[in-house]
Amino acid sequence: MSEHRRKMPPQQPPTGGRAAARRAAQQPGHRSAPAHDVGMEAPSASYGPPPPAGEEPRPYGGRAEARRAAQRGGRRRGADAGPGGGRGGSGGGGRRGGGGGSGPGRGSGGGRPPGRKRLIDYPRYGKRGWRRWMPSWKLVTGTFMLFVGVLMGGAFFAYSAVEIPKEDATATSQNNIYYWADGSRMIATGSGANRQIVGIEQIPRVMQEAVVSAENKTFWDDSGIDPMGIGRAVWNMAKGGETQGGSTITQQYVKNNRLNDQSQTVSRKVKELFISMKVGNKLEKRDIMAGYLNTAYYGRGAYGIQAAARAYFDKDAKDLNASEAALLASVLKGATYYDPGGYPEIDPEATPEKNLVRATKRWKWILNEMVKDQKISAEERAKYTTFPKVKQRKQDAQLTGQIGYLVSTAKGNFISNNTEGIGAKELERGGYEIYTTFQKPKVQALEKSVTKILDEHIDPEKRPKTDTDVQFGGATVDTATGAIVALYGGVDATKHFTNNADPTGAQVGSTFKPFVLAAAMKYGVRDKELGPAQDESTRTIVDPDKSLYSGQDKLRVHRYNGDVWHDEKGKEWLQTNDDGASYGNITLREAMIHSANSPYVQLGMDVGIDKVRESAVAAGLRQESLVKGESPSFSLGTSSPSAIRMAGAYATFANKGQQNEPFSVTKVVQGGKTIYEHKAQPKSAFSPAIASNVTDVLRDVVEDPQGTGRKAAIPGRAVAGKTGTTDGNKSAWFVGYTAQLSTAIDMYRFSDDDTKTDRVFEEMYGTGDQPKIHGSSFPSRIWKDYMTTAVEGMPLVKFPEPMDLENAEPVFGGGATSPTPSPTPTPTPTPTESAMPTTTPPATPTTTPPVTKTPKPGKTTCDIWDWECNHPGDPGGDTGGPPTTAPETESPQPTDTPTDDTETGPGPGNGNGNGSGSGGPGKPGGNDGSWVP
């Protein structure tokens, strides 16, 4: 090509028309000015000869070079337009001419680069920043459609492949086998006899509709699953209201009647879902309803609607009315928590009282839903204003004697601790081998010791007013492991349905004092000059032998800072001791030996009720068994833990401060596979020093000639323990331990009547032909008789010597003062004494002043259990010896007022045999608190 053909007029910039402009725009890094305008060499500068003189350099060597440049740099959409980038301007050039026009234009600055477009444009081509990672709507839509297609294809394949299991494969119950601790067979339960299949025509329509309204409103129309129902259940659950089940009735029928696997796994749930869909499409709704109601578990060992109607109402299923149907629909939500009879052996929250509240609420809700769903009329609903009367829950006839209590305890332990999701419903299906910790010889020995007392001294026919409804409970725990080796739940599990080894509501009295002492050794008393929240640096650890507290009867209780304690009504509290006994300044060891109340009430206030509560829980008591509030009486046992828990908590002291949860099941086997095994998880509750000092103090309660627990002493064995008697003489305890076994025995009177919503404890004045029942009488005798047999053949193990308490110092509380080198006798008349003075204790801190008692008129020195009481000074109750001072001046007795034994704060009569409880005023020979304005 000749030179003159490529030469441009000197007065015009090189142009090449529209095609040249497009090629120029495809340059990498194209800007609003050509490269040579900003001192940059054009890409063609490195190829061929330079342009002739007087000519502008070409931006590219030709079309091929422009194309290569575009491929290297890519295309940048939206670049700023510049000179030569648009259609404006004039220019010349031949068909291979140069760049775009020189005039201003609005071109895009670049065209689409040649090359193949990706199928999935992600990350997005040509985008920068966050837009590069934002998928396009086409990509989102395509991905969703692909996912739905794969899901539908998989569902179709799974639905086609799944088969409906045979009904008989899982509908028959099996036995559960329980074993003693030595591996021998105890009993087989769950024979499956409590099931009777009835046809849909024998199930009343109101029963069917009650279940539909409660569990699955769309049952008659759905295909076996209900996605909207699942969402509705989740929403109602989040709001905390009553809920329908997330599963449909068809799904529950499949789970109960068609599946062997009851595990809570995703695969099992998916399998259940597809089987439910197939069952919903192939079976009639009436057949599904009949199958569900005939296989569902209603509690009380009842499978199926016919067995449930008999168990709850003693009638046939066809005779159920709408109210009764609503109750049975309620228990389907979970019999453990909705059976009005309660299952406290499975969960302490499943008491008859709490279950009745839950069942009543759901019963009303179901009836209202039936009206809303037009299943019953508003007129019929108006008939059912009271909760239907339900039969008492009875044990299986084969679970007689103690066996029923042992089985219920083991069931509750397994259900509460297994991680396989096995509840009461699954356990009732059977097929489990349950290995327990119960030792048959010890269970039999404990039952024998209690029966001996019942036969010899309790006579309801001779003394119906005092000996009726007398109950005993007890439990023994291995101190090293927490294993429950024996328990006594009542006379017969088929006659007395409450397990007395479980929580009964009986207050523990002075058996709670060791936890107050342990708290004083662990946390210390607070500094009077500082606020209530104090750390260890401002507290003083208490020495039980060098510290002195006032043992005065009717002691005015103070807060830790010295202010007089007042209740919410502004009243003070004068704490009394049993039988009006007044002690001088007394060590905490002596106060425990004599079960003096006033020192430990004031000690609890000085330490802090919150710290006493923490110590009790650390030892092994359940938080919910302890009364709420900060009342001084808390330290004297107004709470009501179970016999099992009290034995376990004392075992913590015997085990050097290491706490083990009481347990009754070592392992559970199903189909040859171990599905549960107990694993010990000891916790450090107290230091060995604290535990050894508490044990040493409790040894003196048993071994000291004036100790209230002396009747529990076992010759040749080291024994530690504590007696307890509560307000109004409504319960009595002895809890004690050797180095290997810890046992709690309690006694009380209450009616075992499930129709009563509130359990009423009766007074025990005159029970067993005794003026008053103390922990030192029947409970101590049972404890000694049983434990003598239980420890027979065990090695003789001594308790460790008490260790030094770190930073422990003498503490003086309740008005007690430090002894002076030259004590001067000072008359200090007490509010309850006549002009008989007391003196300041001698100078030696370890010498305890003599005990002074002021007995009630007519109080005998000994009762029939005081077989060692042949001399003056031998105590007959929980708190010490005979009078050594002038008789007390009688004060007017308060009027007898009904009280609630579980009240947390003090009330009239708060002082008692051990100062605990908050019931009515004590009787003559007892001990009542005195309010002062």
Side-chain angles (χ1 to χ4, degrees), residues 780-799:
S780 290
R781 183 174 177 183
I782 292 172
W783 191 96
K784 177 180 179 178
D785 186 55
Y786 158 66
M787 284 291 284
T788 300
T789 303
V791 299
E792 186 176 352
M794 287 186 170
L796 294 174
V797 180
K798 296 182 179 180
F799 291 122

Side-chain angles (χ1 to χ4, degrees), residues 647-926:
Y650 272 48
T652 300
F653 298 130
N655 195 34
K656 301 178 182 178
Q658 293 295 305
Q659 189 266 334
N660 288 289
E661 281 292 297
F663 69 100
S664 58
V665 176
T666 56
K667 68 175 180 178
V668 176
V669 177
Q670 183 186 34
K673 178 184 176 183
T674 300
I675 62 171
Y676 169 79
E677 192 165 8
H678 173 76
K679 295 181 180 179
Q681 296 179 327
K683 302 174 184 176
S684 179
F686 308 107
S687 68
I690 294 175
S692 64
N693 274 273
V694 172
T695 294
D696 194 61
V697 170
L698 295 182
R699 284 187 64 182
D700 282 352
V701 174
V702 177
E703 296 176 1
D704 190 284
Q706 290 194 347
T708 60
R710 70 193 183 282
K711 298 170 188 174
I714 301 175
R717 290 276 178 180
V719 174
K722 184 69 188 76
T723 55
T725 308
T726 58
D727 187 50
N729 202 208
K730 294 180 178 179
S731 63
W733 290 70
F734 184 80
V735 186
Y737 53 94
T738 64
Q740 298 104 325
L741 297 177
S742 176
T743 297
I745 302 293
D746 55 353
M747 176 182 178
Y748 35 82
R749 290 181 60 208
F750 69 77
S751 175
D752 188 28
D753 187 352
D754 286 347
T755 62
K756 295 181 179 180
T757 57
D758 295 321
R759 179 167 292 156
V760 178
F761 287 83
E762 304 291 342
E763 296 175 341
M764 294 191 292
Y765 297 106
T767 298
D769 204 23
Q770 292 288 290
K772 180 179 180 181
I773 298 299
H774 289 93
S776 60
S777 57
F778 292 124
S780 290
R781 183 174 177 183
I782 292 172
W783 191 96
K784 177 180 179 178
D785 186 55
Y786 158 66
M787 284 291 284
T788 300
T789 303
V791 299
E792 186 176 352
M794 287 186 170
L796 294 174
V797 180
K798 296 182 179 180
F799 291 122
E801 291 297 319
M803 303 168 63
D804 291 337
L805 290 167
E806 187 176 356
N807 299 324
E809 298 178 14
V811 172
F812 306 96
T817 57
S818 175
T820 60
S822 301
T824 301
T826 303
T828 54
T830 67
T832 62
E833 293 178 329
S834 51
M836 178 63 67
T838 60
T839 60
T840 305
T844 305
T846 58
T847 301
T848 303
V851 176
T852 61
K853 288 198 66 175
T854 55
K856 300 283 186 182
K859 170 66 179 177
T860 59
T861 302
C862 307
D863 58 34
I864 66 170
W865 298 123
D866 292 331
W867 53 79
E868 299 174 9
C869 183
N870 297 319
H871 56 83
D874 191 23
D878 279 10
T879 60
T884 57
T885 64
E888 172 185 336
T889 301
E890 282 294 321
S891 58
Q893 292 287 341
T895 58
D896 192 6
T897 56
T899 59
D900 182 358
D901 284 331
T902 59
E903 188 71 24
T904 60
N910 190 63
N912 52 51
N914 281 312
S916 64
S918 54
K923 297 296 184 182

Side-chain angles (χ1 to χ4, degrees), residues 365-401:
W365 176 78
I366 291 176
L367 286 174
N368 293 336
E369 288 296 304
M370 293 178 71
V371 174
K372 197 180 299 183
D373 298 336
Q374 299 182 353
K375 305 302 181 183
I376 60 173
S377 65
E379 291 76 13
E380 184 177 2
R381 169 65 181 91
K383 297 177 185 178
Y384 308 121
T385 57
T386 59
F387 194 74
K389 186 176 181 180
V390 178
K391 288 177 57 179
Q392 287 188 349
R393 184 169 68 91
K394 296 182 178 181
Q395 293 282 0
D396 193 319
Q398 62 181 326
L399 302 178
T400 58

